[in-house]
């Protein structure tokens, strides 16, 4: 469990986007800790509707809001950037405005796609941003709104390559392909950090309890490629990892729209007195039996 989960002042949590992968795991972690939490799914609460958000906040009176609500359909954002910005940019601004009015701490989930991927060493939390796709631009707009409106009570948590028991993710895709294909082509020139949603949920709780603000990178330690990630999944399935074939980004659909290298640095956690998330391979080994129990 992440550092800082033991002694604390209890918060009242509002989790937006609580029907998604991270939202569901965050609510489960909070409930296990006996923390009061209101889980608001997309159907329960539209974060772009300021009147609805204000009504929920007035009624529930949270001390901390974690915004897991987002437009995550990467491909569709390229042709529907205005609609994606409505949720990822304007929605974040609405939440930040309300939190500022009521002195509520806001944790806003963002993405590694705010970077261009041109680096070859981990991006620091303070590194210059420069998204190369519509999804990244809309998420960066949300970051900027939160940091502008909540300099003391706003926290950005950038995550990447997230997987868990709920929703669409790379592990689920690889398990399905292992069952239906003799060989599977996976890109080997994109680098990142596979991150278990439970690890990230625990890290968010520690962050809020610690009262930290600013930008944090909520990804596992270490780094790998999609190709090597897929090979480890096959090994854990008891399948031959040699069935995974490496390909270049320019050989797959939309490969050029995805940043090649988005490994994120974790200095902010240490500076805040918190421990970064463990190595991605250790998390995958622990989580895989739990994930394998699900209906893929």
């Amino acid at each position: 469990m992440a550092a800082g989960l033991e002694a604390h002042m209890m918060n009242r949590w509002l989790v937006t986007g609580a029907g998604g992968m991270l939202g569901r795991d965050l609510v489960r972690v909070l409930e296990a800790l006996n923390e009061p939490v209101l889980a608001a799914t997309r159907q329960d609460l539209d974060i772009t509707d300021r009147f609805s958000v204000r009504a929920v906040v007035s009624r529930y009176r949270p001390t901390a809001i974690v915004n897991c609500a987002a437009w995550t359909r990467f491909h569709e954002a390229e042709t529907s950037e205005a609609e994606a910005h409505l949720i990822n940019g304007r929605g974040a601004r609405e939440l930040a405005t309300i939190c500022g009015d009521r002195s509520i701490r806001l944790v806003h989930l963002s993405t590694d796609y705010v970077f261009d991927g041109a680096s070859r060493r981990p991006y620091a939390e303070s590194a210059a941003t420069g998204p190369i796709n519509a999804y990244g631009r809309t998420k960066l707009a949300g970051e900027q709104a939160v940091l502008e409106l909540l300099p003391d009570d706003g926290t950005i948590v950038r995550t990447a390559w997230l997987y868990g028991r709920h929703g669409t993710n790379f592990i689920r895709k690889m398990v399905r392909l292992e069952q239906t294909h003799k060989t599977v082509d996976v890109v080997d020139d994109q680098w990142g950090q596979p991150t278990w949603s439970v690890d990230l949920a625990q890290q968010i709780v520690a962050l809020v309890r610690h009262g930290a603000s600013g930008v944090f990178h909520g990804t596992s330690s270490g780094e790998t490629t999609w190709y090597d990630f897929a090979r480890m999944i096959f090994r854990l399935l008891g399948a031959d990892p040699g069935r995974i074939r490496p390909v270049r980004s320019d050989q797959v659909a939309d490969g050029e729209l995805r940043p090649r290298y988005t490994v994120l640095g974790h200095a902010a956690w240490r500076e805040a007195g918190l421990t970064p998330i463990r190595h991605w391979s250790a998390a995958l080994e622990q989580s895989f039996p739990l994930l394998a129990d699900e209906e893929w």
Side-chain angles (χ1 to χ4, degrees), residues 142-206:
E143 286 192 11
Q144 293 169 336
V146 172
L147 294 174
E148 170 196 341
L149 295 171
L150 296 172
D152 298 319
D153 289 327
T155 305
I156 303 299
V157 177
R158 295 174 180 144
T159 192
W161 295 29
L162 203 62
Y163 66 87
R165 299 180 73 173
H166 313 291
T168 302
N169 60 75
F170 185 74
I171 294 179
R172 187 180 298 272
K173 178 181 179 180
M174 287 300 107
V175 172
R176 185 180 68 252
L177 292 176
E178 190 280 326
Q179 296 169 346
T180 58
H181 290 62
K182 290 183 179 180
T183 61
V184 180
D185 293 345
V186 180
V187 294
D188 69 342
D189 58 357
Q190 294 177 20
W191 293 80
Q193 297 153 307
T195 303
W196 186 22
S197 52
V198 172
D199 277 352
L200 180 55
Q202 293 179 340
Q203 201 78 355
I204 290 170
V205 175

Side-chain angles (χ1 to χ4, degrees), residues 7-245:
H8 70 286
M9 294 293 291
M10 183 171 288
N11 286 284
R12 289 175 60 83
W13 301 75
L14 168 61
V15 178
T16 65
M21 182 194 306
L22 176 60
R24 291 176 69 175
D25 279 336
L26 178 57
V27 169
R28 182 177 296 181
V29 167
L30 290 169
E31 289 176 342
L33 294 169
N34 294 315
E35 293 269 328
V37 54
L38 177 63
T41 67
R42 180 175 55 185
Q43 291 73 29
D44 298 325
L45 181 62
D46 177 0
I47 65 168
T48 68
D49 183 342
R50 70 181 63 180
F51 301 105
S52 296
V53 175
R54 287 186 181 276
V56 169
V57 169
S58 295
R59 184 169 64 250
Y60 185 67
R61 301 190 308 280
T63 59
I65 296 176
V66 182
N67 181 32
C68 298
W71 175 297
T72 57
R73 301 189 299 277
F74 167 79
H75 301 89
E76 294 178 32
E78 290 301 314
T79 55
S80 304
E81 186 166 355
E83 291 86 343
H85 184 274
L86 184 65
I87 299 172
N88 294 343
R90 179 178 152 188
R93 179 170 289 276
E94 294 293 351
L95 284 172
T97 299
I98 293 168
C99 287
D101 292 344
R102 297 172 179 263
S103 299
I104 299 170
R105 180 165 296 279
L106 174 63
V107 177
H108 175 67
L109 271 295
S110 191
T111 174
D112 58 328
Y113 276 27
V114 299
F115 296 114
D116 61 12
S119 179
R120 286 299 174 265
R121 58 182 180 181
Y123 284 94
E125 293 85 352
S126 60
T129 54
I132 62 174
N133 52 55
Y135 172 67
R137 288 191 293 271
T138 65
K139 292 298 290 183
L140 180 59
E143 286 192 11
Q144 293 169 336
V146 172
L147 294 174
E148 170 196 341
L149 295 171
L150 296 172
D152 298 319
D153 289 327
T155 305
I156 303 299
V157 177
R158 295 174 180 144
T159 192
W161 295 29
L162 203 62
Y163 66 87
R165 299 180 73 173
H166 313 291
T168 302
N169 60 75
F170 185 74
I171 294 179
R172 187 180 298 272
K173 178 181 179 180
M174 287 300 107
V175 172
R176 185 180 68 252
L177 292 176
E178 190 280 326
Q179 296 169 346
T180 58
H181 290 62
K182 290 183 179 180
T183 61
V184 180
D185 293 345
V186 180
V187 294
D188 69 342
D189 58 357
Q190 294 177 20
W191 293 80
Q193 297 153 307
T195 303
W196 186 22
S197 52
V198 172
D199 277 352
L200 180 55
Q202 293 179 340
Q203 201 78 355
I204 290 170
V205 175
L207 190 64
V208 172
R209 289 182 171 182
H210 199 71
S213 59
V215 179
F216 292 82
H217 287 161
T219 54
S220 294
S221 301
E223 60 184 64
T224 190
T225 64
W226 288 115
Y227 169 73
D228 285 326
F229 185 24
R231 285 174 59 86
M232 185 168 179
I233 293 168
F234 267 47
R235 284 196 295 270
L236 292 172
L237 286 170
D240 178 11
R243 292 166 56 193
I244 304 292
R245 303 188 306 184

